[in-house]
Amino acid sequence: EKPSKHHIKICKGTACHLNDTSKIAELAENKCNCSDTTVEKTLCLGCCDCAPAFEIDGKIYKGDEAKSVIDTL
């Protein structure tokens, strides 16, 4: 199977959960539900200080930053 063009990891660790990743996670899952993007939930990205954290194509983003990057995909 050919790898996706974009890969989004959504942190579901405690700090990110408490800072409500679910809204941006829903956006990612709904908007990027296509063959060129993979959305994956993970337990911790190790970036609790910038929660909620998302990894998009290998780079870590905070919540609002992630939202704008997801909008451009």
Side-chain angles (χ1 to χ4, degrees):
E1 187 174 306
K2 183 180 173 186
S4 300
K5 182 177 178 182
H6 300 288
H7 192 103
I8 300 172
K9 288 185 181 179
I10 301 166
C11 183
K12 290 296 196 177
T14 304
C16 290
H17 176 73
L18 291 174
N19 284 290
D20 197 19
T21 57
S22 62
K23 289 180 184 175
I24 299 172
E26 281 181 38
L27 170 72
E29 290 171 336
N30 293 334
K31 186 170 181 115
C32 299
N33 191 12
C34 56
S35 62
D36 67 344
T37 304
T38 302
V39 179
E40 173 187 355
K41 294 177 184 171
T42 185
L43 280 178
C44 187
L45 292 172
C47 302
C48 300
D49 60 325
C50 65
F54 297 82
E55 183 180 308
I56 303 171
D57 296 334
K59 185 174 178 188
I60 302 292
Y61 294 93
K62 291 183 180 182
D64 289 334
E65 286 180 305
K67 193 184 237 182
S68 65
V69 172
I70 290 167
D71 283 339
T72 64
L73 295 180

